[in-house]
Each structure stands twice: as C-alpha cells, then as structure tokens.
Amino acid sequence: MPSRIERIAEKTLAACGIGKPPVDLRKITRHLGLAVQKDSLPPEISGFFYRKGTHNIIGVNKKHVPARRRFTVAHEIGHYILGHAHDEVHVDRNFGFIFRDERSSRGVSKEEIEANAFAAALLMPAKFLMKDLSTNAFDLVDSAVVSRLAHRYGVSVQALSIRLGALGRS
C-alpha cells in the first residue's frame, strides 16, 4: 500500500497528465500556480519557498547542477502541497529564504523528511520505475546502467539509489 506522500505525488502527476519520465516540473508548477526563479545563491542554499498573499515562488540555486535543481524544485513543491508552514528570513532582495538549521539539513526534521520523500516520489514514481525495471531488465549492479536510468529520470545517481533502496530494489 503506497504511503500518504506517495499517493499525493501520484495524484499530482495524474492531475498534470504526466505518465512517463522525466517528470515535467514546469507543467506541475504551472498547474499549481507556482513561479520558479533561478538565482545565484550561496552554495549551502539549494532553494527557498516564498509565499506572500497570492504570490508563491520557488527559488532555486542556479549554480547547482540540473539534477540537484530538479530535486530542489520538487522538494519545494512538496512543502507547498503538504502545507508546511515556513518562517521567512528577509534578505536584501525581499525574498523569504528558508535557512534550514543543521538538524533539518541532515533530513531529520519531519517536514524535511516529508518534502524529500515527496520529491523522490514525484521525480521517480514507483510505477514508472517498476515498469522500467521490469521491461528493460536493468542491471542495478552495473554503475553505467544506474547512471543511464538516473539520466532518464533527470535525477542524480545518489537520489535514484536512495529511491530504489526505499522501494526495496537496490
């Protein structure tokens, strides 16, 4: 039985008409009315979610590699969809940055764990992965094969490996 977060990710994909990888995050953010802005941020900041009135903006560090940016956007979509409240820290450009503390950056806060789980389920849906694994006979021991599969989903090898492990397919 899929978890609550898996079900929410599946419903999001279905509502946006997404049925194969790589998941089109632009389609999802448009559907949800979220703007995405790439910006130069300090290296330790992957992204932020800024909400003020009807304005909902996901900021992403344009200096990070594309797979990391995709995971960041999906993670911030997770915060939005899961209804996580955010404290704003205003910086000189009037964006609310979420400076996650050391505990949350390690993924031990409930909201961060949920947003990471949502991002993984959104970018690497179990149904998509299981179909790929059953029809293409991927050898998950072969690093080149895992790399190709990660590329297909637009994620890092590390993110894919963690997801496959969570699905019992490592």
Side-chain angles (χ1 to χ4, degrees), residues 27-79:
K27 196 172 195 180
I28 294 170
T29 55
R30 279 194 303 265
H31 175 80
L32 295 172
L34 303 172
V36 176
Q37 179 174 323
K38 293 179 189 169
D39 206 352
S40 291
L41 303 171
E44 67 276 7
I45 299 174
S46 296
F48 62 87
F49 185 83
Y50 174 73
R51 177 184 301 187
K52 184 162 185 167
T54 59
H55 299 287
N56 295 294
I57 300 169
I58 292 172
V60 64
N61 193 335
K62 72 179 184 179
K63 295 176 187 173
H64 288 183
V65 298
R68 179 69 195 148
R69 290 194 309 256
R70 281 178 51 78
F71 199 90
T72 297
V73 171
H75 177 97
E76 299 302 339
I77 291 170
H79 281 306

Side-chain angles (χ1 to χ4, degrees), residues 101-123:
D101 61 21
E102 183 181 338
R103 192 172 146 257
S104 66
S105 69
R106 290 191 321 259
V108 294
S109 80
K110 182 178 186 250
E111 287 186 358
E112 292 306 307
I113 291 168
E114 288 181 344
N116 283 337
F118 179 86
L122 188 71
L123 293 173

Side-chain angles (χ1 to χ4, degrees), residues 12 19 40 53 88 93 118 121 128-129 166:
T12 302
S40 291
E88 293 180 34
R93 289 180 295 143
F118 179 86
F128 295 9
L129 281 170

Side-chain angles (χ1 to χ4, degrees), residues 133 136-146:
L133 294 175
N136 296 314
F138 284 100
D139 178 2
L140 297 177
V141 177
D142 183 338
S143 62
V145 172
V146 174

